[in-house]
């Protein structure tokens, strides 16, 4: 299930990540109770049609590391909402709750553009930059479930204000919002360069949307191409920062802005290669477009729930040190007398 600000999108997903059936229910975002009722109702309906083993919920919000409490949701009324406990009381199935961007990243890792990569960074370019990180086959959530908020790394000290309360965050330069802000600013200059952009929206700069700029760029409008290239360049520089910290094998780029394809990806790749630490003396991460569009959150949530049945959630906390592997290592070292034992 993918719970957004306006709807609950649910599906029955098989082990290969294919959606067998789906249901979408609009939800009033101001009421946690009605969202909860919608979730329970949807599970009930789908359970009548299929043998459901487990339920995965991807929610737009900060989810704690036990995958149970939604600490805060910008588009829903959840504040420290014990979602897992509430739902488990009403749904008689194993159930997990995770952040929707984590779920989407997991779908790309399991079935999409980042399949089987050793370290995968997933970036979702929407109004901001969301994303997820998979290391050694495990979703990495950080200590408190807050990992992956790289949209708020500071790219330009003293730059544009961000809704997080800081200035100059990366997502103020490399997201859908940045594209729209720059397009509108260009349109307001009354420059001949903005003529076509303004014409598209009947002369009102405030009517320009990211989708329109992207569509215009795809149609070959040169100024829209430039605007997307600027966003792409900021994207590439930020990814070079992430590569300096994480050394990923693949960086998957999804979200609305990624619909621009190579118009975004090529400038991003150029800026990335030009900024990367150790360039010329190392392999570079592959920058690729996401495989899934709108279904990533749903597919990933379902597969995370399945994954949690195989490996208990607390072993996923430290992605690089799953319990199974630790067990094997302990057995090997104990045999050699190297594993510390308590008296
Ligand atoms: Zn910010």
């Amino acid at each position: 299930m993918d719970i957004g600000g306006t709807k609950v999108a649910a599906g029955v997903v098989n082990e290969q990540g294919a959606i067998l059936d789906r249901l979408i229910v609009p939800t009033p975002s101001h009421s946690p109770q009605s969202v909860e009722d919608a979730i329970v109702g949807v599970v009930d309906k789908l359970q009548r049609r299929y043998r459901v083993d487990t339920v995965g919920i991807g929610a737009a919000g900060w989810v704690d590391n036990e995958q149970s409490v939604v600490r805060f949701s910008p588009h829903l009324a959840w504040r420290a909402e014990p979602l897992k406990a509430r739902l488990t009381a009403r749904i008689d199935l194993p159930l997990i709750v995770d952040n929707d961007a984590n779920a989407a990243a997991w779908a790309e890792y399991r079935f999409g553009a980042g399949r089987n990569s050793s370290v995968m960074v997933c970036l979702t370019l929407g109004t901001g930059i969301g994303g997820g990180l998979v290391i050694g086959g495990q979703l990495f959530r950080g200590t408190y479930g807050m990992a992956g908020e790289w949209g708020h790394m500071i790219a330009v000290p003293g730059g544009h204000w961000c809704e997080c309360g800081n200035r100059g965050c990366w997502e103020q330069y490399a997201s859908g919002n940045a594209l729209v802000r720059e397009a509108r600013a260009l349109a307001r200059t009354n420059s001949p360069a903005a003529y076509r952009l303004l014409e598209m929206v009947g002369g009102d700069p405030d009517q320009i949307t990211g989708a329109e700029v992207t569509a215009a760029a795809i149609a070959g409008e040169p100024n829209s191409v430039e605007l997307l290239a600027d966003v792409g360049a900021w994207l590439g520089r930020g990814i070079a920062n992430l590569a300096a910290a994480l050394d990923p094998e693949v960086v998957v780029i999804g979200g609305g802005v990624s619909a621009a394809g190579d118009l975004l990806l090529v400038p991003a790749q150029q800026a990335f290669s030009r900024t990367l630490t150790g360039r010329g003396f190392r392999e570079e991460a592959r920058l690729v477009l996401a495989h899934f569009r709108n279904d990533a959150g749903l597919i990933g949530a379902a597969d995370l729930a399945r994954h949690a049945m195989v490996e208990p959630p607390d072993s996923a906390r430290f992605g690089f040190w799953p319990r199974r592997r630790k067990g094997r290592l302990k057995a090997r070292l104990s045999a050699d007398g190297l594993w510390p034992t308590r008296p």
Side-chain angles (χ1 to χ4, degrees), residues 151-154 161-172:
H152 301 288
M153 298 189 307
I154 295 185
W161 281 104
C162 181
E163 60 193 43
C164 74
N166 288 333
R167 295 177 73 146
C169 292
W170 184 29
E171 70 175 36
Q172 292 305 314

Side-chain angles (χ1 to χ4, degrees), residues 7 13 20 33 63-64 95 102 113 127 132 147-148 156 164 176-177 186 192 209-210 236 239 297 313 327 331:
K7 64 179 193 298
V13 181
L20 306 177
Q33 185 61 46
V63 178
D64 73 342
L95 184 144
N102 275 350
T127 53
V156 180
C164 74
N177 273 7
L186 174 63
T209 65
I239 293 172

Side-chain angles (χ1 to χ4, degrees), residues 13 39 50 83 99-100 107 138-139 178 187 189 215-216 226 229 233 251-252 275 277 302 319 340:
V13 181
I39 294 170
Y50 291 86
L83 190 61
N99 168 267
D100 56 350
Q138 299 282 345
L139 200 53
T189 61
E226 282 176 11
V251 179
V252 177
T275 320
T277 306

